[in-house]
Amino acid sequence: MKFDYIIGGSGLAGLTLAWQMIEHNLLDNRKLLLIEADKKDSNDRTWCFWNTPELWLTDLPIKKSWDTGLVKGNDFELSQKLAPYRYYKIEGIDFYKFVFEKLSNHPQITFIQDVIVSEEAETKSVKTQNATYQYKSYFFKSYFFPDEIKALSNPNKHFIWQHFYGWKIKTKKDIFNPSEITYMDLQVPEVKGGLSFVYILPESENEALVEYTLFSADLWKKEEYKLALENYIRTNLGIDEFNIIETEYNKIPMTNSRFGNRNKSIIPIGTLAGTIKPSTGYSFVRNYKHIQQIIRSLKSNDDNFQIRNSKRFQFYDEVLINVLHTEKSSGHEVFGQLYKKNKLPLLLKFLNEDTTLFEDLKIMNTVPKMAFIKAVMEELF
C-alpha cells in the first residue's frame, strides 16, 4: 500500500506534525503512515517550556503551569515573577494520549509499531524490520541512526550532552511551594567542562519532580545520577522520607554541528532538523513553530521545509557552548552572573530569541568578559 506521507518516529515532532495535519485538513484526501518502535503508553518524559499565554496552548494537555521562578547559587537566592511568561509542564503520557485520540478518529491515518532500518529517497521507500512502505510525497524523519549521532561529534565543533535524571517524589510533610518552580539551583558540585544544577517542578506542597541536570561531554552511570539526586534531596532540601512515584532519564545533544539535511523527499523534523536550542536544550516551542512552517509549506506547495533559525542567536549559542566545553569559565560562574545581574523574564526573552540587539549587549555585559571574548574570537576565526 502506498501512502502520501510517512512520519518516522512518534515523539514530539512526529505526533505534533500528524496532529497539525489533521487540524489543517491536509489528510482529507491523503493517507498518512506513522511508524514508531515503542508503544508510547508510558510516562517516559516531561516537556517543559515557557511562553506568553497564547491561544494554541489551550489545546494542549498541560499538567501544570507556574508564574514564579526561583534561581539559587552559593551566594544568592532570587524569586521572581516570570510575567509576561508562564512556565508550562506537559507529561509525555498525556501528550501521547491527546494526539493518539485525535489520530484514532481519522480513517486516513495508519499507525504501525515497527523499527525502521533504512530509508531511500530515490525510490521513496521506508524499510522496517518487517516490511517496506512506499510514499508519494514526503517522508518526515525524526530519528537518528547510530552513525548519524557519531557524525555530530565533529572535532572542529563543540558537542556536549544535556543529560538529566529525575524523580517525581511524594513527601510526608509539606515541603514545596506549588506556585513556584526552582528554575535552576546551582548549589551542587560543579562538573568539568559544563554545567550542573537541579530544577524542581512542584505539583503540590508534598509532590514534585526533582531533576539533576548536567551539560557535559561525558554521560554518567545510572548509579552516579541516583547518588547525586538522593544527596541533593536529603542534604539540600532536608527531606529524609519520600516515595519515588516516577523516574525520568534522558539525554539531549547540544552542539553547533549541523544536524540532518534534507535529502530530496526525506525531510528532517524535531532534533534532526535542529529544533533543540543548543544553549538550553529546550525544544517544545521551537518544534511547534517548525511544524507550523511545514504545514504552511504543504498547504501552499512551496516545498520549503528548512527550519528558520536566527544566525545571530546561533552564534550566541556557539559562543556559550565554546565557553563551557573548553572550560574558559565555569558554568556556575557564567549562569550565576547572569541571574544575579539580570531579571529572569529578560533572560527568558533572550533565550526565546526575541530580544533586541541593545538588550543582547546588556546581557552580554554581565558574563565573564575575557572568557567570552576569547570564545567569540575562536568562533569567528
Side-chain angles (χ1 to χ4, degrees):
M1 183 178 183
K2 183 174 282 190
F3 297 86
D4 293 279
Y5 310 112
I6 298 179
I7 297 176
S10 292
L12 176 62
L15 290 181
T16 303
L17 177 55
W19 163 40
Q20 289 300 298
M21 281 180 164
I22 294 172
E23 295 294 309
H24 291 271
N25 304 312
L26 284 168
L27 299 178
D28 288 353
N29 300 302
R30 298 179 180 89
K31 295 184 182 297
L32 168 67
L33 171 65
L34 276 82
I35 306 174
E36 167 61 46
D38 300 322
K39 289 183 178 181
K40 296 296 179 183
D41 60 355
S42 64
N43 195 33
D44 58 351
R45 66 190 62 235
T46 302
W47 286 295
C48 297
F49 59 95
W50 60 87
N51 207 70
T52 54
E54 295 175 6
L55 186 60
W56 67 276
L57 293 172
T58 60
D59 291 331
L60 294 168
I62 293 170
K63 181 80 171 182
K64 190 170 174 61
S65 68
W66 298 266
D67 64 359
T68 308
L70 175 69
V71 287
K72 300 168 70 174
N74 291 327
D75 60 345
F76 68 95
E77 182 171 327
L78 303 168
S79 177
Q80 300 175 10
K81 291 293 184 181
L82 303 179
Y85 304 103
R86 289 189 70 86
Y87 196 86
Y88 297 94
K89 174 188 175 185
I90 297 177
E91 296 196 342
I93 190 64
D94 294 336
F95 188 73
Y96 302 148
K97 288 178 179 178
F98 164 75
V99 177
F100 278 122
E101 183 176 341
K102 291 179 176 295
L103 302 189
S104 66
N105 296 324
H106 206 295
Q108 300 295 93
I109 299 175
T110 302
F111 178 82
I112 292 174
Q113 188 181 347
D114 205 345
V115 176
I116 296 173
V117 295
S118 66
E119 69 270 343
E120 177 54 59
E122 296 292 341
T123 60
K124 291 189 174 182
S125 63
V126 179
K127 185 178 180 181
T128 70
Q129 289 181 344
N130 298 303
T132 299
Y133 303 95
Q134 305 289 138
Y135 60 92
K136 297 176 185 176
S137 298
Y138 300 107
F139 171 57
F140 296 98
K141 177 181 176 181
S142 67
Y143 56 86
F144 287 93
F145 288 122
D147 59 334
E148 291 170 325
I149 284 284
K150 290 178 183 177
L152 293 176
S153 300
N154 185 331
N156 297 317
K157 298 290 185 178
H158 302 291
F159 181 95
I160 58 177
W161 290 102
Q162 178 181 152
H163 45 122
F164 44 91
Y165 185 92
W167 288 331
K168 183 188 286 189
I169 63 172
K170 192 163 189 173
T171 62
K172 290 187 175 181
K173 298 179 181 178
D174 291 341
I175 300 291
F176 306 106
N177 177 358
S179 65
E180 178 182 74
I181 64 164
T182 299
Y183 181 72
M184 190 175 285
D185 186 350
L186 299 170
Q187 296 176 103
V188 296
E190 291 199 61
V191 65
K192 181 180 175 66
L195 175 68
S196 53
F197 62 95
V198 170
Y199 77 87
I200 303 172
L201 304 180
E203 292 187 7
S204 67
E205 292 178 336
N206 70 335
E207 190 171 319
L209 173 66
V210 185
E211 200 135 276
Y212 203 100
T213 306
L214 303 108
F215 299 175
S216 66
D218 299 320
L219 300 173
W220 284 8
K221 296 177 181 177
K222 284 287 178 70
E223 280 304 314
E224 293 178 289
Y225 296 109
K226 291 178 183 178
L227 287 172
L229 179 58
E230 183 171 2
N231 181 67
Y232 177 86
I233 292 171
R234 295 190 183 280
T235 304
N236 295 56
L237 300 182
I239 300 173
D240 292 322
E241 295 182 73
F242 60 92
N243 293 322
I244 300 171
I245 302 172
E246 291 177 355
T247 298
E248 177 175 275
Y249 169 76
N250 210 336
K251 60 182 187 293
I252 299 170
M254 301 173 68
T255 178
N256 56 347
S257 293
R258 288 185 65 86
F259 287 85
N261 293 314
R262 175 175 178 170
N263 180 12
K264 299 177 182 176
S265 61
I266 301 176
I267 314 300
I269 59 174
T271 302
L272 197 64
T275 58
I276 292 178
K277 185 169 174 63
S279 60
T280 66
Y282 282 86
S283 65
F284 196 94
V285 175
R286 286 161 65 93
N287 173 76
Y288 184 82
K289 289 179 177 178
H290 185 222
I291 295 302
Q292 294 308 307
Q293 179 190 330
I294 290 172
I295 295 297
R296 288 192 295 270
S297 295
L298 289 173
K299 292 175 75 171
S300 62
N301 295 311
D302 70 4
D303 198 48
N304 180 16
F305 304 111
Q306 180 76 29
I307 190 169
R308 295 165 187 161
N309 284 330
S310 162
K311 292 188 180 300
R312 173 162 60 104
F313 285 94
Q314 279 183 312
F315 184 70
Y316 296 161
D317 288 341
E318 291 172 356
V319 169
L320 176 61
I321 294 174
N322 179 309
V323 169
L324 297 179
H325 191 213
T326 61
E327 299 180 75
K328 290 181 174 63
S329 181
S330 77
H332 283 194
E333 182 180 6
V334 171
F335 283 86
Q337 292 297 320
L338 283 171
Y339 293 135
K340 286 190 285 187
K341 297 179 181 179
N342 299 280
K343 295 294 185 182
L344 194 51
L346 177 61
L347 293 176
L348 297 181
K349 183 181 180 183
F350 176 72
L351 296 173
N352 266 7
E353 304 185 355
D354 292 330
T355 44
T356 64
L357 185 58
F358 176 78
E359 289 172 319
D360 296 348
L361 293 173
K362 179 178 179 295
I363 291 169
M364 291 172 192
N365 195 44
T366 64
V367 296
K369 291 182 177 57
M370 286 309 300
F372 276 80
I373 289 171
K374 290 177 181 177
V376 165
M377 298 303 290
E378 287 179 8
E379 293 303 320
L380 281 174
F381 302 110

